Amino acid sequence: MENRKTIKTLLVSAAVLLVAALLVFVINDSLDKKPVETQKYCVAMGTVITEKIYSDKDASDVCDGVEKTIKNLEGVISRRDESSVIYSLNKNGKVKTDEKTADVISRCGEIYSDCGGAFDITVGKLTSMWNIGEENARVPEEKEIKDALTYVDGSLVKTNQGAVMLGEGQKVDLGAVGKGLACDYVRDYLETTPIKSAVISVGGSVLLFGDSEKDKKWSVAVRDPSGESDEYMGVLSLSDCCVSTSGDYERVLESDGKKYHHILDPKTGYPSDSGLKSVTIVCDSGFLSDALSTACFVLGVKEGEKLLRKYNAEAVFIDNENRVYVTDGLISSFSLTSEGYTLAGE
Ligand code: AMP
Ligand code: MG
């Protein structure tokens, strides 16, 4: 019921949110000769999905296919949908599923190991206690956090030929990878269609499918983490990749004059405090861009950069002092557009 109410609210405000909901958004497509742009907005995964498909004719059918692809995935990985694989996994501690879904869990385990546990899908008990971004969000008692922390250990999750098993009492939450994963599923779907060029934005993750016409890049704005939802502090010039942002402004709980954001440090059980306001990751895979944005947000700049080298991913980090760190492979694609920020090292 509450969920339905939230969805309704999202739909009602969708028009306002078209740009506002996007943490990274496409400013323009720099096309000389514009092909037909088919647009669609819908709500899934608790966020507004923006689809822009470019082709020589109306592509409403493909837009519908994209929406269906995302909603199907949501039906598998949602924690709240009682018919989902993840709901069943959390309820029974084990589930037999398809290899593709089990592989997602197993890849989460690899990232967990590579980042020393900063990214850990077994934060499920903690995230449902805090519930930041939902109506019943609250600051849990210290004792509750301590107790929930005893169930957080990504190394206890096992997969074997489509079977997934959790450690005793554990609950998983795929919120840190779902939207990026949706970008990968949409790319797989678009590859079965004649479409060559599209921009699909799923909350904090964006799929840039193909190139903008004539090999021109898409201009992707990086949101100003301290500004309004339609303000940006820099622009990335990119094509054929995925971009995900994790930021401390996305979901916030205010209690007793203090602000708490939704990205938890699995070591403390509290919102992570690594000195960052946001991290934007660019790489080939939506899943990875999303997982790494969460991991790097918890790790901070130095450790985050080390992790990114391993995965051949690039990033824009923004710290609490408004310093901007851009990894070497992305510097030539990034332009700072706001005076309130300085590029680190300059
Ligand atoms: P993102 O906005 O992609 O960084 O994902 C944040 C979401 O992932 C939260 O709303 C939680 O559902 C979940 N989450 C929070 N902290 C973590 C963490 N340290 N590791 C994995 N998932 C997390
Ligand atoms: Mg993420």
Side-chain angles (χ1 to χ4, degrees), residues 23 79-80 117-124 127-128 132 173-180 204-205 244-247 250-251 261-267 270 272 279 289-295 297-298:
L23 310 171
R79 278 192 303 161
R80 299 193 175 89
F119 165 89
D120 188 339
I121 57 168
T122 66
V123 290
T127 52
S128 36
I132 296 180
D173 175 351
L174 295 187
V177 291
K179 297 178 179 80
S205 291
S244 292
T245 295
S246 289
E250 288 171 44
R251 288 166 179 249
H261 64 76
H262 70 310
I263 304 170
L264 304 179
D265 183 339
K267 298 215 159 42
Y270 284 87
S272 105
V279 184
S289 65
D290 203 354
L292 293 174
S293 72
T294 308
F297 189 91
V298 176

Side-chain angles (χ1 to χ4, degrees), residues 42-55:
C42 59
V43 173
M45 294 187 158
T47 191
V48 177
I49 317 282
T50 310
E51 302 177 35
K52 290 183 179 180
I53 293 181
Y54 303 95
S55 69

Side-chain angles (χ1 to χ4, degrees), residues 222-228 231-235 248-249 275-279 316-326 334-346:
V222 179
R223 182 171 155 176
D224 178 347
S226 307
E228 295 301 317
E231 290 179 313
Y232 54 94
M233 48 65 69
V235 177
D248 67 359
Y249 49 84
L276 291 175
K277 285 181 182 172
S278 82
V279 184
V316 177
F317 296 85
I318 304 174
D319 77 10
N320 290 338
E321 277 72 48
N322 291 348
R323 283 183 300 246
V324 184
Y325 301 79
V326 185
F334 179 76
S335 323
L336 191 66
T337 56
S338 165
E339 285 179 358
Y341 292 83
T342 50
L343 274 173
E346 283 196 347

Side-chain angles (χ1 to χ4, degrees), residues 104 111 122 146 149 175 184 229 296 323:
V104 167
I111 297 170
T122 66
K146 230 174 138 191
L149 274 175
D184 291 338
S229 53
C296 287
R323 283 183 300 246

